[in-house]
Amino acid sequence: MAQLSCVDLCLGYDNKVILENLNFSVSSGDYLCIVGENGSGKSTLMKTILGLQSPISGKVVFSDGMHKDQIGYLPQQTVVQKDFPASVREIVLSGCCGGSGFRPFYNASQKELCEKAMEKMGITNLSKRCYRELSGGQQQRVLLARALCATEKMLLLDEPVSGLDPKVTADMYELIERLNREDKITVIMISHDISAAVKYATHILHIGKNVFFGKKHEYLKSREGKIFDIAEGGAKQ
Amino acid sequence: MNFFVKIINDLQTYFEFPFVRYALIVGILISLCSSLLGVTLVLKRFSFIGDGLSHVAFGAMAIASVLKLTNNMPLILIITVLCAILLLRSGSRRKIKGDAAVAMISVGALAMGYLMLNVLNPSSNLTGDVCSTLFGSTSILTLTKTNVYICIVLSVLMLLFFVFFYNKIFAVTFDENFALATGTKANLYNLLIAVVVAVIIVLAMNLVGSLLISALVIFPALSAMRVFKSFKSVTICSAIFSVVCTTLGLLISIVAGTPVGSTIVAVDIVGFLGFYVAGLIKGGKKA
Ligand SMILES: Nc1ncnc2c1ncn2[C@@H]1O[C@H](COP(=O)(O)OP(=O)(O)O)[C@@H](O)[C@H]1O
Ligand SMILES: [Mg+2]
């Protein structure tokens, strides 16, 4: 059963349409990769799903016990000011904020959730460090741990590996894949890296001039996927 | 040695006057509140909100005096709170950027206020009045009991607000989009922060005057950020910094007869330099 479906979704800014008639759905445990060129509207789609902006028409429907506030979100390049004083633990714990309603302080189970998330991301030893003094890869892990504090069901990741070196990128993909496989968290990830998308994802959503949505093997046979095949084949020669 | 004994004796004499005690209580409370919110404001890039809102408050004061209101506090509070909400309203879809909007409202209110006072209410000592509103007069030393009570009640309310919403304030300041996406009512908290900021500014005008108010907001936060690296430690440090500097500044100005506002800011500057050097030493050690 679908956790999230987009029905005839049309999105954009100030009535300027970027994407039209988008239809797809995501079920529990899926790993969906959203691919497409720069500026094709991937981030806009994610913000619309999160309710940060409203669709021009159509709707985003949550079902199967899913609620909009239960999504964990890893933004594309969080613009954290260079001088923001915050420790890793403070940031990870802030992921629990949405779940506490008007309760002013975090309770024991939220603090435990935070410790577990840091453990999973392998950043427990950094917990007292200042966020802005960490490397790019470490910072992404911190933000992923924060996202884990906000959800047990679904993660939305906007280009989680941009700007990371190949080794750190591979580690990050492994981490995400483990969350999907072991913790059964639904993953929706935006990526430029089509080969990684094809390697890890169960479903692909390709947006741009032609829109494609379907299972991975269908994508490889489709027109959009063929382009990728040719490019990949060309690289191998 | 004799010099210090004389100063302490002087202070003892001064503390027998109730207005000196009032000034100290009010000064400490206001500096505490303004430094706590200062951290958020500096990080949200709203360092100048203090200036902007205090000029709005000045304009409101001009309206109140033209209308010949006896108690101008409610009018000033309402107008300032409304402007604060306008300025701090969240949302990236704003047409005019934050700093430009603050500058616009700030100079606009100042000019209109002065113009109104000049044209509609030519009192005998206009320059004196205006000067004391802008630079803070001795008015902190002429506080009435009622004013002190109002100030205490509002400050305590604000401290409670800050303690209870500390975690939300952090989440909203650090990453508003994430907070909003995961179900934190970011807009509501931004609104509350705006209201509290406006109230603090109106209160703080008594202390240092509207031109120097930004000092109370930014010096403690910036000083603490030189040395400390987590939100909690920065918040606590800036609160202590602010209270210590304001107390020192007040005492010095009473003993030496210097203007209250400028003396406090002078002490803030010295404190900031101290923390700056401490930050360099601490950073140097690590490297
Ligand atoms: N805040 C905004 N206001 C107006 N247009 C925007 C805004 N943000 C992005 N856009 C436009 O929307 C389009 C899609 O942007 P985006 O979703 O960020 O693309 P992607 O993430 O796929 O690279 C781009 O053409 C961009 O210029
Ligand atoms: Mg993007």
Side-chain angles (χ1 to χ4, degrees):
Chain A
M1 194 185 161
Q3 269 182 326
L4 161 75
S5 13
C6 292
V7 186
D8 294 330
L9 199 61
C10 174
L11 37 92
Y13 296 91
D14 300 327
N15 288 322
K16 192 180 134 261
V17 175
I18 293 171
L19 271 175
E20 272 181 302
N21 291 327
L22 208 51
N23 281 290
F24 68 92
S25 61
V26 181
S27 307
S28 175
D30 280 0
Y31 190 140
L32 171 71
C33 260
I34 305 178
V35 295
E37 290 163 26
N38 269 333
S40 55
K42 305 183 295 294
S43 298
T44 309
L45 171 62
M46 213 164 246
K47 285 186 201 146
T48 310
I49 294 175
L50 287 164
L52 292 176
Q53 67 182 83
S54 39
I56 294 177
S57 66
K59 59 188 171 188
V60 178
V61 185
F62 293 99
S63 44
D64 195 12
M66 186 72 201
H67 186 264
K68 184 195 90 61
D69 294 345
Q70 294 172 327
I71 304 179
Y73 175 44
L74 181 70
Q76 178 177 23
Q77 285 173 355
T78 330
V79 264
V80 178
Q81 300 96 335
K82 254 186 73 206
D83 53 353
F84 203 108
S87 70
V88 167
R89 186 163 188 276
E90 284 177 322
I91 292 174
V92 176
L93 201 52
S94 78
C96 298
C97 188
S100 28
F102 284 105
R103 187 154 37 80
F105 306 108
Y106 296 121
N107 59 25
S109 70
Q110 285 172 319
K111 284 177 187 157
E112 202 185 308
L113 186 66
C114 162
E115 299 302 331
K116 276 207 184 118
M118 289 201 290
E119 212 168 288
K120 265 184 211 162
M121 292 299 111
I123 52 170
T124 309
N125 56 334
L126 303 175
S127 78
K128 293 220 165 56
R129 288 278 298 278
C130 174
Y131 175 79
R132 63 173 195 259
E133 288 169 356
L134 301 179
S135 73
Q138 289 171 326
Q139 290 188 339
Q140 285 299 71
R141 281 168 185 246
V142 173
L143 295 184
L144 193 53
R146 175 182 68 162
L148 282 180
C149 282
T151 189
E152 289 171 349
K153 295 180 176 168
M154 184 184 279
L155 279 175
L156 261 63
L157 314 170
D158 195 342
E159 305 201 12
V161 297
S162 66
L164 303 184
D165 68 43
K167 165 90 175 54
V168 179
T169 299
D171 289 350
M172 194 74 186
Y173 280 135
E174 288 300 324
L175 269 177
I176 296 169
E177 131 83 347
R178 194 156 359 121
L179 291 174
N180 178 246
R181 186 163 32 91
E182 289 173 8
D183 298 314
K184 305 274 178 282
I185 297 178
T186 313
V187 173
I188 302 180
M189 177 170 84
I190 294 180
S191 175
H192 274 309
D193 184 358
I194 297 196
S195 58
V198 169
K199 184 169 169 205
Y200 295 105
T202 58
H203 293 72
I204 306 264
L205 172 66
H206 182 118
I207 57 181
K209 261 188 243 113
N210 304 302
V211 173
F212 170 89
F213 170 72
K215 290 224 164 86
K216 179 167 69 180
H217 61 89
E218 294 166 357
Y219 177 67
L220 289 174
K221 277 183 238 149
S222 73
R223 196 153 44 103
E224 292 76 24
K226 284 254 168 59
I227 299 169
F228 158 71
D229 243 10
I230 293 163
E232 188 82 331
K236 269 179 196 150
Q237 278 166 15
Chain B
M1 209 57 222
N2 267 339
F3 177 68
F4 286 109
V5 174
K6 186 182 169 306
I7 286 185
I8 288 173
N9 277 339
D10 268 8
L11 279 179
Q12 262 167 3
T13 335
Y14 281 121
F15 272 107
E16 270 154 32
F17 297 105
F19 66 85
V20 174
R21 292 200 296 266
Y22 292 160
L24 208 59
I25 294 172
V26 169
I28 287 175
L29 283 173
I30 290 175
S31 55
L32 193 58
C33 291
S34 57
S35 64
L36 288 178
L37 276 168
V39 179
T40 307
L41 291 176
V42 167
L43 292 172
K44 274 178 168 268
R45 293 293 175 268
F46 270 111
S47 299
F48 270 104
I49 190 97
D51 269 30
L53 288 182
S54 62
H55 294 179
V56 169
F58 170 77
M61 208 183 292
I63 295 177
S65 82
V66 167
L67 295 177
K68 301 223 162 31
L69 296 180
T70 40
N71 188 359
N72 55 13
M73 201 72 160
L75 184 76
I76 296 177
L77 267 178
I78 291 171
I79 295 182
T80 317
V81 165
L82 285 181
C83 282
I85 292 173
L86 270 181
L87 287 176
L88 283 173
R89 194 171 39 142
S90 60
S92 44
R93 262 154 276 152
R94 257 190 319 221
K95 288 287 183 294
I96 302 175
K97 272 279 168 220
D99 58 341
V102 171
M104 212 171 71
I105 290 199
S106 153
V107 287
L110 194 59
M112 294 316 289
Y114 187 57
L115 197 65
M116 242 179 328
L117 280 181
N118 236 315
V119 174
L120 299 174
N121 193 18
S123 84
S124 51
N125 182 18
L126 186 60
T127 358
D129 281 357
V130 172
C131 192
S132 65
T133 344
L134 292 183
F135 287 102
S137 50
T138 47
S139 70
I140 177 108
L141 296 176
T142 57
L143 289 172
T144 62
K145 227 174 189 163
T146 334
N147 274 340
V148 175
Y149 285 137
I150 292 179
C151 194
I152 290 176
V153 170
L154 287 178
S155 309
V156 170
L157 282 180
M158 266 172 290
L159 287 177
L160 286 179
F161 164 81
F162 191 85
V163 171
F164 274 102
F165 291 109
Y166 169 81
N167 287 319
K168 319 279 186 213
I169 293 176
F170 173 80
V172 171
T173 312
F174 181 73
D175 190 344
E176 194 174 316
N177 269 347
F178 179 88
L180 205 56
T182 51
T184 305
K185 297 187 173 47
N187 295 326
L188 174 70
Y189 294 116
N190 274 328
L191 188 83
L192 286 175
I193 291 174
V195 172
V196 172
V197 167
V199 175
I200 289 178
I201 299 295
V202 172
L203 291 182
M205 272 178 76
N206 285 325
L207 189 58
V208 292
S210 54
L211 277 186
L212 299 178
I213 243 166
S214 289
L216 282 188
V217 173
I218 56 182
F219 273 111
L222 287 181
S223 305
M225 277 158 63
R226 290 294 112 204
V227 176
F228 291 97
K229 299 278 163 72
S230 79
F231 195 73
K232 198 177 200 171
S233 52
V234 165
T235 306
I236 293 172
C237 171
S238 69
I240 295 172
F241 177 97
S242 186
V243 168
V244 170
C245 286
T246 304
T247 312
L248 272 179
L250 259 174
L251 294 182
I252 292 174
S253 77
I254 289 170
V255 172
T258 49
V260 178
S262 338
T263 313
I264 292 177
V265 176
V267 176
D268 274 329
I269 292 173
V270 173
F272 175 76
L273 290 178
F275 272 74
Y276 187 82
V277 173
L280 286 183
I281 293 171
K282 202 179 166 200
K285 255 190 211 150
K286 246 186 211 161

